[in-house]
Amino acid sequence: MYQSLISLTLCCTWIAGAADTGITNAFEDLKHQGTIREEDSPMRVGASTEAMEALIQSEPEAQWFCFPDQREMALRDSRILPKRWADMSSLRRGVLTLKASPGEYFVYQLGLFAARADMKDVSVEFSPLKNDEGQEISPRGMTCFNAGGVDVYGKPFHRAVNVVRGNLQSLWIGVDIPDSAFGPYKGTVTITPRRGLSRTVAVTLDVQGLPVQAHGDDEGYRMSRLRWLNSSIGHGDKPTAPYTPLAVIPSESGTDIQYLGGVLRLGRNGLPSMARTFYNEANTLIPRVQNDILADSMRLVVETDKGPVTWTSGELKVARESDGKVVWTAQSVGSGMELICTGTFEFDGFSDIRLNLKSDRDLDVKDVRLEVPFTEYASKYFMGLGRRGGFFPEKGIDWKWNVEKKHQDSFWIGNVNAGMRMLFKGDGYKRPLVNVYYKYGRLRLPESWGNGGEGGIRIAPDGKGKVLAGIFTGPRTLKAGKSLDFNMELLITPVKPLDWKHQVEERYYHSNSDVSSEYVKAARDKGANIINIHHKKDIYPFINYPYYDASVGDLKSFIGQAHQEGLKVKAYYTTREISIKIPEIWAMRSLGGEIIMDGPGKDATTVTNPKGPDKWLVDNFGTHFVPAWHNAFNHGKYAGEMDLSVLTTPDSRWNNYYLEGLDWMVRNIGLDGIYIDDSALDRESMKRGRRVLDADGKRRSVDMHSWNHMNAWAGYANSLLIYADLFPFIDRLWIGEGFSPNSSPDFWMVEISGIPFGIMSETLNSHNYWRGMIHGMTPRLGWSGDPSSIWKIYDALNMAEARMLGYWNPSCPVIASSPDVKATAYVMKDKALVVLANWTNKDVDTVLTLDAGKLGFVPGKASLPDMPGIQNMEASIDLSSPLSLKGGKGMFILLEK
């Protein structure tokens, strides 16, 4: 390789085109007003006081009443008895006769009214439904959704059903009808409180007509999709792409677990003693590259008056449970204490470690702390604990728990190719709410790490080439026989190799226009090949419910049209909130706070609802909810209509429903992926979603957006920390709503670019063509700028085959003489595109130094590509004079052999 340094200076008459700074602000949608269009329902009409009294007196001994009814007559308010039910005769209250279709998952409801006493631990028992020929529908195919089901982790659970005196409760029942069923099927359903008499309802389902497809899931009005709540779709331990099976390798130094990106070594105490990645500075996997994250073993220190406890560890027991998961356990004892470490490690570098500490006597200790020594190399950058992302602070970190105001329980420390995210939690951990809703779902202070607010984290260089993190509790008393759970999550970064090829080839169009008729043309004309469909669109009107009956046909037609033009289509789809327009909204409401997040209801205020909830929510929901996003249509099919939403509870069965909905869209309307906005999705659900998308081997992508959480509403959190454990299953980031383009390069690196995590990103409010492309980022067409000039350069140079050698990479062949100018080179066989970014708002002159050996060729020609909207060029090029860069701008320079 030719190894000489060539000082190349370029001079030109520079004319910067007017940059497209137009950025869509979705918050503008909150200003729009409209109406909720819904059919009037008899269930909105409450019974008079006289009618309620007459009902109660009709059965003087009855403590409660049951009202069987059809799915269309959903109970709306648990405090108001509908007139329809109060008028129901005693005979009618004991009989339910409804029509159903063969193959349908049929849904009906049982309304309970606790007239004279509380109803506790209500149980529901089904008999078989039999027809005249003796054929039957087994009770195994019947479900009461209120009484339990299958949780987000695939485990069955039971849920107590209680009704407070004077209130009502709907029980939603599902019946799985076979395709072969025909005619009347008769049976019973019996409702029994823990104390009190049972009531039995005679149920007749008259099954008629042709079998419906997919259990009726293709038509939302049937509400058969309620069965999705108990789905286990996507569960398993098989690695998702691009990951490989785990390998467990015992050695004298410990037990190594090898995965795609590196290796984790466990010591005899069960804690990591080594964490190492195999990535070079371009985040390409190179097995011979070894970057150590840990400088030494992690250890739990219990400090007493006599000094730290000396632990004696037994045998480390490690088992490869599957291709995708390794589990282990270890026991250590010392000074009358027992420490049991259990852990899991997964195929993407994620581990969940639980430390259970128990003393055989009451013992006052000075401190219990986890010590984690990081290498100097893997301590270049830091993010978390109230610190914006960037270089590790010279003075270190000194932080204490404050869950009331701060969504802070984790940090990331690392370099671009070697790092670790650590999250600390206790027993009974529940994930908090994200975005502006933190005050309605805060972190729980862990009894272990938090120690009543005395606990905290200190991280500082130790003066010996290491950076030592101490996660401490401070003085405390260990009670005899009482366990403390010091639990944590680790994620080794990068989570996967950077995918520059797809970053170049997949080009997004993302519009906020209500009307979609011009989307395909606008995308195609500018060179985009993926269209993201936001909600509040004529083909997707209501948030997080893309399969709404009245619009899903339009969405399917749009996808078909886009496919004919060679474009892919993805839809906004997340779990933070749900529209009140979903057919099952009242059934979800009947589940209490399981799916619809509990909250102050009419008294709730947020940034998105500063004056409280919309009147419709106040009138119809009243209590026990948190209002979320809302918007109205100005144009198109739904002009004048309003969409309201309420927050969902993290880690609920709604995730199961969401994943089944994803699968349904892939199979039925040809969806090519999803766009996730600040989400309540947990890691397990995101992993399941990845399996759903990849099931048939077709490439479908997931891109994720997040708002800036570093504010009081969101608990001063770092967006990337909140979602880091989802990154292994995401293809692209779109971070930076609320981030300034004038942030420092180290902030761009850590909090915007995605590079240290192995995922590439796009710019949003941090929109700057030059600073973006230093990190391989462009704005998103239709929402945050016009990248079409860059896309044309991609095509002209075949840049999908280029190597990105960034300014942070020692292999970068370009160095600018000014420290305020950063240079990244995209290198091909005999040419390279060099991008320069001026990180000041003042004009800067700089000289470039090129290393031909690193470049791979001796450049004989340098030019400025014509890039309308970014740079326009006059013909003069002088290799002997400095470059003049305008403040806040830069250059795209083409080098050719």
Side-chain angles (χ1 to χ4, degrees), residues 726-743:
L726 308 185
F727 291 171
F729 317 111
I730 290 170
D731 299 288
R732 185 177 296 193
L733 295 171
W734 194 27
I735 302 296
E737 184 176 10
F739 286 163
S740 168
N742 294 320
S743 298

Side-chain angles (χ1 to χ4, degrees), residues 78-97:
S78 63
R79 303 163 300 174
I80 299 174
L81 177 68
K83 180 178 183 298
R84 171 185 172 86
W85 286 359
D87 293 344
M88 198 177 282
S89 69
S90 61
L91 180 62
R92 170 64 183 82
R93 293 198 297 269
V95 177
L96 182 66
T97 301

Side-chain angles (χ1 to χ4, degrees), residues 339-351:
L339 178 65
I340 296 177
C341 175
T342 58
T344 62
F345 185 87
E346 299 189 32
F347 55 80
D348 57 337
F350 174 89
S351 56

Side-chain angles (χ1 to χ4, degrees), residues 380-381 391 743-746 748-749 770-775 805-809 812 814-826 834-840 844 846-848 883 885 889-893:
K380 182 176 182 177
Y381 299 107
F391 292 128
S743 298
S744 60
D746 56 318
W748 273 73
M749 170 59 71
W770 305 273
R771 295 175 185 176
M773 272 302 292
I774 288 292
H775 301 93
L805 301 177
Y807 66 89
W808 61 90
N809 189 339
C812 181
V814 186
I815 298 175
S817 60
S818 169
D820 295 321
V821 176
K822 304 299 180 186
T824 290
Y826 297 90
V834 174
V835 184
L836 305 180
N838 178 358
W839 237 278
T840 73
V844 171
T846 194
V847 175
L848 295 188
L883 298 171
L885 304 182
K889 297 184 179 181
M891 287 184 181
F892 288 75
I893 303 168

